[in-house]
Amino acid sequence: MGKWVVVAQRGAGGDTYLAEVVRRVTGTREDAQEAMRAASLTYQEPWREKSREVYRFPSGDSCLVIVRGLMSETHTVLSIAELVHDSADPAIAKAAPTGGEPQDSVPPMEWRTSQ
């Protein structure tokens, strides 16, 4: 069992972006995905909501939520993230599949662009 968070990311005007932890989950990846799905139906309720669309990204670990209210429209990306390091609990890093070390210093080949 891991420790997970559901994170909301959205623009706040200009070049400013906000990220906030919406929910905390102890369990499996599927438990975290279910918490994200539940949050997608209630997160960022505007005054007099008219409609809500939820788009799941292929991995299932994130989704785009578009909410239209009486006077505004918001676009928010909800994602799940697993805790892999906690300085207050060194056992977490030892239990993490990656050993707690970042594995993304070189992007996968398919992400690189040819010039």
Side-chain angles (χ1 to χ4, degrees), residues 4-53:
W4 300 80
V5 291
V6 177
V7 179
Q9 301 175 36
R10 59 187 166 87
D15 292 335
T16 304
Y17 291 88
L18 301 174
E20 70 175 305
V21 173
V22 177
R23 296 191 179 181
R24 294 183 182 273
V25 178
T26 299
T28 64
R29 173 185 229 112
E30 291 76 23
D31 295 333
Q33 288 173 333
E34 182 55 38
M36 181 189 67
R37 281 190 284 277
S40 73
L41 301 177
T42 58
Y43 179 76
Q44 201 69 23
E45 292 187 38
W47 188 59
R48 293 193 180 176
E49 181 176 314
K50 289 186 167 196
S51 67
R52 177 180 296 258
E53 296 174 341

Side-chain angles (χ1 to χ4, degrees), residues 38-93:
S40 73
L41 301 177
T42 58
Y43 179 76
Q44 201 69 23
E45 292 187 38
W47 188 59
R48 293 193 180 176
E49 181 176 314
K50 289 186 167 196
S51 67
R52 177 180 296 258
E53 296 174 341
V54 178
Y55 296 89
R56 185 184 66 220
F57 289 101
S59 70
D61 289 348
S62 56
C63 63
L64 171 66
V65 180
I66 301 173
V67 181
R68 292 175 188 83
L70 184 64
M71 310 253 313
S72 66
E73 179 175 298
T74 61
H75 298 181
T76 305
V77 174
L78 297 177
S79 306
I80 61 170
E82 183 178 17
L83 179 64
V84 294
H85 177 77
D86 182 348
S87 62
D89 187 356
I92 290 175

